[in-house]
Amino acid sequence: MSEACEVLIVSETVPDYAHPGDAGADLRAAEPAVLAPGERAVVGTGVAIALPDGYAAFVVPRSGLAAKHGITIVNSPGTVDAGYRGEIKVTLLNTDARVPYSVAVGDRIAQLIVMPVTRARFVPVDRLPGSERGEGGFGSTGYAHRTAGAAPAADSDANGAAPTGDAATTGEQR
Ligand SMILES: O=c1ccn([C@H]2C[C@H](O)[C@@H](COP(=O)(O)OP(=O)(O)OP(=O)(O)O)O2)c(=O)[nH]1
C-alpha cells in the first residue's frame, strides 16, 4: 500500500481502517433510518473532509451488508470531490424484496476509499487508433462456463437483441 495522504476531517468519530492493508475506511451512520424492502434513504455520516488536490474519495458498499441484508448504495461508487466541504452522505438501497432494514446511529454503513485521480485533457479527433478489442464490449467475449440448460439463447443478449460483431457471424460459442 502506498504512503498515507493527509486528509483534514471534521467529525465526532474518525473513519477507521479495520485491518492493516484495507483499502476502505468505515463510514458510520450519524442518524437512524429504516429502509422498507426496495426503499432507499440518504443517510448522513457526520463526516466532512478536505482532500488534497489531485485526490478523490469514493463511497462504496460493504460486502457484508450486501450479502447478508441486500443493502447496497444507489450511486456506487459515490464520488467525493476534493473541493467538497459538506457532510458525506450515503444513499443506501434495500434490495431485499421482503425484509426491512434498520440503521442505528454508529452503524458502519459504507466505506470510503481515497485515491489519487487524473484529470483528462480531452483531445477531439476524427478517428480513434485501432486496438485489439476494437468496439467489442458488453459480453463480446462470452461466458467462461455454463451448465446445460442454464445458458441464455445463443443468438440473443439479455434484452433479446441479436448480437453484433464476429461472434454473430462466425457462430463462435458465446
Ligand atoms: O455518495 C455520495 C456522492 C457525493 N457526495 C457529495 C460529495 C460530492 O463532491 C458532492 C457532489 O457529488 P456529485 O458530483 O456526484 O453530485 P451531482 O449530482 O453531480 O451534483 P453537483 O451538481 O452538486 O455536483 O456530493 C456524497 O456525500 N456522497
Side-chain angles (χ1 to χ4, degrees):
M1 185 141 302
S2 58
E3 237 173 68
C5 86
E6 227 165 61
V7 175
L8 305 179
I9 184 165
V10 174
S11 173
E12 273 185 23
T13 56
V14 172
D16 52 340
Y17 295 93
H19 306 99
D22 281 3
D26 288 325
L27 289 171
R28 295 174 185 271
E31 56 187 331
V34 178
L35 285 82
E39 197 179 42
R40 67 177 184 270
V42 180
V43 181
T45 63
V47 170
I49 58 175
L51 291 159
D53 250 9
Y55 281 78
F58 299 99
V59 180
V60 301
R62 298 187 64 216
S63 61
L65 289 184
K68 290 181 194 153
H69 304 287
I71 298 299
T72 188
I73 294 174
V74 177
N75 59 319
S76 180
T79 305
V80 180
D81 303 287
Y84 181 68
R85 298 291 180 267
E87 180 186 20
I88 295 176
K89 297 183 180 183
V90 183
T91 308
L92 292 177
L93 169 66
N94 181 4
T95 66
D96 196 287
R98 287 177 298 278
V99 185
Y101 186 77
S102 296
V103 175
V105 172
D107 281 358
R108 294 179 296 157
I109 53 171
Q111 47 188 330
L112 191 71
I113 300 179
V114 175
M115 290 180 67
V117 289
T118 303
R119 276 176 71 113
R121 184 171 53 85
F122 294 102
V123 182
V125 291
D126 289 333
R127 282 178 78 90
L128 297 174
S131 74
E132 193 170 318
R133 172 177 282 274
E135 295 182 21
F138 303 93
S140 65
T141 56
Y143 300 97
H145 175 71
R146 287 266 181 179
T147 51
D155 291 331
S156 64
D157 64 17
N159 300 316
T164 55
D166 290 346
T169 51
T170 62
E172 180 190 330
Q173 184 75 41
R174 287 163 60 80

